[in-house]
Amino acid sequence: ANSAFSKLYKSWMHTPEALAKHYIAYNAKFLGNTEVEAPKGTEVVKDAVRKLKFQRHIKKSEGQKIPKVELQISIYGVKILDPKTKDVQHNCQLHRISFCADDKTDKRIFTFICKDSESNKHLCYVFDSEKCAEEITLTIGQAFDLAYKKFLESGGKDVETRKQIGSLQKRIQELETENSELKKQLQELEEQLMIAHVPPAGSISMKPQSTDIFDMVPFSPVTPLVPTLASNGCPPPPPTTLPPDIRKDLFGAEPFDPFTCGAADFPPDIQSKLDEMQEGFKMGLTLEGTVFSLDPLDSRC
């Protein structure tokens, strides 16, 4: 379980600030990663370790060395970098890491299972660290514990903020669609009005072309409405303001108020990320010290 970390490991080895504001770096050899069938389980990682050790054994016989990597562990995840160029090779977010263990027989080997963000497959990452295998496992556990607590603390606020953003985005989209439809309708009405009052050929129109049957200049949303002087030279009366209790605009639609608009669904991308984080943290991270391989297959390869 998630909060069980605090009970199991009462004295974590790092300060929360070190993992929240910075990161803890370790150097290790990276045996690689391989797909596994389940997010947790000792047998699952045993098979993966055996497989990757065997592959490394073959590569070593071909003259290839195990690549060295730098691990940067923080509440944002486990980054696997090239120690010289600092290029990020893998970025494993904590809520995607479900199982983490170090080998109690071969004390150099440690591993974790992480759900890949693109393929959604469970990948088992295997490393060789001469002195820090157990410490790295516990550091990942501590980072997960802190990240989960942070998610619970800020989650409510984040969710509410994102809900409001999602609701506003949805309403804006609706208004833009409505606006374009109204413009289209208005254009069609103007066109119909112009066609209806085109004088027959040969007749003389007494009215200027620029006005309609009511002696009004046809309204176009493109031209700004500028007040003009009335025929008697007096300025036009001020526009009448609608009483505040009238809740509809001139098109009969309810005016948009961001403070009273109902809660909408999240945009799909935000919703799926929140769901995925919640699901990952709820599943928890299992920390284990176990025996991965009983066979003496070149454990130092």
Side-chain angles (χ1 to χ4, degrees), residues 96-115:
R96 291 179 166 272
I97 299 175
S98 51
F99 190 86
C100 190
D102 56 286
D103 193 336
K104 292 305 174 198
T105 306
D106 183 352
K107 292 187 180 292
R108 300 164 60 115
I109 298 292
F110 70 95
T111 178
F112 63 79
I113 296 173
C114 180
K115 194 176 184 182

Side-chain angles (χ1 to χ4, degrees), residues 12 19 73-78 94 138-148 281 285:
W12 292 110
L19 287 160
I73 304 166
S74 72
I75 62 166
Y76 300 103
V78 180
L94 287 174
L138 290 173
T139 302
I140 293 172
Q142 184 182 3
F144 187 97
D145 191 39
L146 289 168
Y148 182 59
F281 281 127
L285 170 63

Side-chain angles (χ1 to χ4, degrees), residues 247-287:
R247 297 287 299 153
K248 294 193 181 249
D249 61 20
L250 76 162
F251 299 114
E254 291 287 339
F256 172 56
D257 184 346
F259 299 103
T260 59
C261 67
D265 293 334
F266 293 123
D269 55 335
I270 294 176
Q271 181 65 57
S272 61
K273 279 176 190 166
L274 286 169
D275 288 347
E276 175 208 305
M277 285 184 79
Q278 205 152 12
E279 187 188 332
F281 281 127
K282 273 185 179 175
M283 182 190 281
L285 170 63
T286 306
L287 293 187

Side-chain angles (χ1 to χ4, degrees), residues 58-262:
I58 293 168
K59 286 181 179 178
K60 191 181 179 186
S61 66
E62 293 170 352
Q64 290 185 36
K65 288 184 177 179
I66 304 176
K68 291 178 181 177
V69 293
E70 180 181 315
L71 295 172
Q72 291 182 357
I73 304 166
S74 72
I75 62 166
Y76 300 103
V78 180
K79 283 185 182 176
I80 303 166
L81 305 91
D82 182 297
K84 290 180 182 175
T85 65
K86 302 297 179 187
D87 288 338
V88 178
Q89 297 172 0
H90 302 276
N91 188 6
C92 304
Q93 293 170 301
L94 287 174
H95 66 274
R96 291 179 166 272
I97 299 175
S98 51
F99 190 86
C100 190
D102 56 286
D103 193 336
K104 292 305 174 198
T105 306
D106 183 352
K107 292 187 180 292
R108 300 164 60 115
I109 298 292
F110 70 95
T111 178
F112 63 79
I113 296 173
C114 180
K115 194 176 184 182
D116 185 64
S117 58
E118 290 178 11
S119 67
N120 272 336
K121 292 176 179 176
H122 295 290
L123 300 178
C124 184
Y125 292 76
V126 180
F127 303 86
D128 180 322
S129 171
E130 197 170 348
K131 294 173 183 174
C132 299
E134 186 180 13
E135 187 180 322
I136 293 169
T137 303
L138 290 173
T139 302
I140 293 172
Q142 184 182 3
F144 187 97
D145 191 39
L146 289 168
Y148 182 59
K149 284 174 182 167
K150 186 178 169 70
F151 178 75
L152 290 179
E153 285 166 12
S154 67
K157 293 173 194 168
D158 289 351
V159 166
E160 199 50 47
T161 305
R162 287 184 173 124
K163 192 180 277 187
Q164 286 175 9
I165 291 167
S167 179
L168 289 170
Q169 284 174 342
K170 192 177 177 184
R171 188 71 181 113
I172 287 164
Q173 204 170 5
E174 285 170 0
L175 287 168
E176 283 174 350
T177 308
E178 191 182 337
N179 190 34
S180 63
E181 283 172 3
L182 287 167
K183 276 185 178 177
K184 194 179 171 185
Q185 286 175 24
L186 197 61
Q187 196 175 355
E188 285 170 2
L189 284 168
E190 280 184 3
E191 285 169 4
Q192 284 172 18
L193 208 59
M194 295 297 283
I195 292 163
H197 299 286
V198 169
S203 65
I204 297 165
S205 173
M206 297 303 290
K207 291 184 181 174
Q209 287 286 324
S210 59
T211 58
D212 62 17
I213 48 165
F214 304 111
D215 202 21
M216 298 285 286
V217 177
F219 169 67
S220 168
V222 181
T223 56
L225 296 172
V226 181
T228 52
L229 287 175
S231 55
N232 60 4
C234 300
T240 55
T241 54
L242 293 170
D245 59 329
I246 292 177
R247 297 287 299 153
K248 294 193 181 249
D249 61 20
L250 76 162
F251 299 114
E254 291 287 339
F256 172 56
D257 184 346
F259 299 103
T260 59
C261 67

